[in-house]
Amino acid sequence: MSAPFQLPHAQALRIPCVLMRGGTSRGPFFLASDLPSDPAARDRVLLAAMGSPHLLQLDGLGGGNSLTSKVAIVSRSSRPDADVDYLFAQVAVERAHVDLSPNCGNMLSAVGPFAIEAGLVPAVDGETIVRIYNSNTGALVESAVQTPGGIVTYDGATAIDGVAGTAAPIRLGFLQAVGSKTGALLPTGLAREAIDGVPVTLVDYATPMLLLRAADLGLAGDETPAELDADAALLVRLEQLRREAGRRMGLGDVTGRVIPKVGMLSPARRGGSLTSRYFTPDRCHRSHAVTGALCVAAASRIAGSVAAEMLSPETGSLVTIEHPSGAIQVDLSLDAAGQVTRASLVRTARRIFEGNVIVPASTILALAERAETGGELTHDDHAPPSLQPDHGRRGQHLPA
């Protein structure tokens, strides 16, 4: 193991965390100060905590699915325009791989409540605005959290498709989402182009995406995720298109990476604006990612784009994207030129469990040995926030 994160006498680690649902995703939330400062050591801890690599992640907190193999790392921000920094980590299920390149808007919806209850942001009576800086993409987001009496409440009457029951609304306003990874809304400068004969739009708003029409792949566009996941030829075809899209967008070789994502679009069926099947990228999302919804909505306002072609003519500033579990609504604010200046939506969150995740020393040492001997442990480069090492603390309590 590399300094400053050693495991003397092979002691297991007890690391404080809170398991939270954010939108339609779930995962542990950590304070940055409770994780090792060295990125490689931190990744080994996250892999061990989630139980990767393993199909079912039986030996960790992961749920054997990309939607439940996510991690949020939160710290107080030094930026004048933000209260907290949020670093998202997508932990691969069957590979020893941690991807820091994307943001996750669903997990982001739980950052505000977590930050308040961790003592990073003081609550006010009624509603507390938490200004969040996403370290992965550089995006600034305002999260409006319900805090009657200065206390975070999770109970409420707001329902989101893909999650059972109702909860308190959390309003997310994305202030700087253009060019999240490429620096431009249209990285190639084109609203529409062709990859291997398929018309596509390559767009980067909140997350880089390859958008295409379902009909161009011989599909209706309202197929179930199970049907799409079972179509091996389709998944191979999408991956080929995605890799070329990544190259054109300036992302390099995206093999094994989760961006750009793929959105397969078709007309709306249930009174919405359009239909989307969002790929993560090797499986179809059971509902829809928040950042993906923002990107599809923004693309629908680009003249000549694949998304604009699918858009219902009566759609106003509120874009309703139909997905396998229902729909997600994105409210766009446009300037005089029709450019998106802000995108907002509503999510919910729940605090599920709090305590310590126990990371066996033997697991971390095995992952470290694999990395040192040229094994599969990989990590997408990204400058993380300043983290501080944990030194095997036991029995600690998280802030209220």
Side-chain angles (χ1 to χ4, degrees):
M1 298 290 289
S2 58
F5 196 64
Q6 303 288 341
L7 292 176
H9 312 299
Q11 295 177 350
L13 298 174
R14 294 175 175 267
I15 305 176
C17 75
V18 177
L19 185 65
M20 300 191 74
R21 174 187 64 79
T24 55
S25 296
R26 190 192 72 209
F29 280 62
F30 295 96
L31 290 173
S33 56
D34 289 326
L35 292 173
S37 58
D38 176 67
R42 180 199 61 217
D43 288 355
R44 290 194 287 271
V45 168
L46 296 183
L47 286 163
M50 299 304 286
S52 295
H54 187 274
L55 176 64
L56 299 178
Q57 294 178 311
L58 284 175
D59 209 30
L61 296 173
N65 186 288
S66 62
L67 302 184
T68 54
S69 189
K70 301 183 175 187
V71 174
I73 302 171
V74 183
S75 61
R76 197 183 307 274
S77 182
S78 61
R79 296 173 56 96
D81 55 356
D83 299 309
V84 295
D85 293 340
Y86 154 57
L87 180 67
F88 168 69
Q90 179 72 61
V91 179
V93 175
E94 298 181 63
R95 295 188 300 132
H97 179 74
V98 177
D99 194 346
L100 301 181
S101 58
N103 182 12
C104 177
N106 276 304
M107 289 286 280
L108 187 150
S109 62
V111 171
F114 173 81
I116 293 171
E117 294 186 308
L120 300 180
V121 179
V124 299
D125 185 18
E127 183 177 85
T128 301
I129 303 298
V130 181
R131 301 173 303 163
I132 303 168
Y133 174 74
N134 176 236
S135 304
N136 307 77
T137 64
L140 285 170
V141 182
E142 288 184 350
S143 175
V145 182
Q146 303 307 302
T147 52
I151 300 174
V152 174
T153 181
Y154 293 96
D155 292 331
T158 297
I160 61 173
D161 290 331
V163 178
T166 62
I170 298 173
R171 292 187 291 104
L172 300 176
F174 289 75
L175 310 179
Q176 298 176 358
V178 174
S180 66
K181 301 301 290 188
T182 67
L185 180 63
L186 296 172
T188 66
L190 301 172
R192 183 183 299 219
E193 55 199 282
I195 298 179
D196 197 17
V198 178
V200 302
T201 294
L202 307 181
V203 61
D204 185 1
Y205 187 90
T207 190
M209 287 192 71
L210 157 69
L211 303 180
L212 44 75
R213 297 177 300 199
D216 289 325
L217 297 178
L219 298 168
D222 60 352
E223 290 82 1
T224 67
E227 290 172 329
L228 296 172
D229 288 348
D231 191 339
L234 170 66
L235 297 180
V236 170
R237 179 72 166 136
L238 290 178
E239 179 62 13
Q240 292 171 339
L241 296 171
R242 193 185 74 88
R243 291 182 187 181
E244 175 58 18
R247 186 192 67 79
R248 294 190 188 187
M249 299 174 84
L251 299 171
D253 183 1
V254 298
T255 303
R257 298 179 60 192
V258 299
I259 59 171
K261 299 294 178 65
V262 177
M264 190 171 68
L265 309 180
S266 60
R269 274 88 170 170
R270 305 187 300 272
S273 304
L274 74 169
T275 298
S276 175
R277 292 295 182 263
Y278 181 85
F279 290 81
T280 64
D282 57 345
R283 299 177 68 182
C284 181
H285 202 297
R286 268 48 189 169
S287 53
H288 209 288
V290 165
T291 51
L294 294 169
C295 190
V296 170
S300 74
R301 295 302 180 184
I302 302 174
S305 72
V306 170
E309 178 185 341
M310 295 292 107
L311 199 65
S312 297
E314 64 274 13
T315 299
S317 64
L318 191 64
V319 180
T320 301
I321 300 169
E322 298 178 1
H323 57 68
S325 297
I328 184 171
Q329 293 185 320
V330 179
D331 191 8
L332 298 176
S333 297
L334 309 175
D335 60 19
Q339 301 297 311
V340 177
T341 58
R342 180 188 177 103
S344 304
L345 45 72
V346 173
R347 298 275 86 187
T348 64
R350 186 168 98 81
R351 192 177 180 99
I352 299 173
F353 178 85
E354 59 185 44
N356 298 305
V357 58
I358 301 172
V359 180
S362 58
T363 303
I364 299 176
L365 291 171
L367 289 167
E369 181 179 354
R370 177 182 303 177
E372 291 169 0
T373 57
E376 195 185 2
L377 176 60
T378 56
H379 165 82
D380 283 331
D381 292 334
H382 189 284
S386 297
L387 308 181
Q388 299 298 322
D390 175 81
H391 293 296
R393 294 167 297 186
R394 295 176 181 273
Q396 293 199 6
H397 297 284
L398 288 170

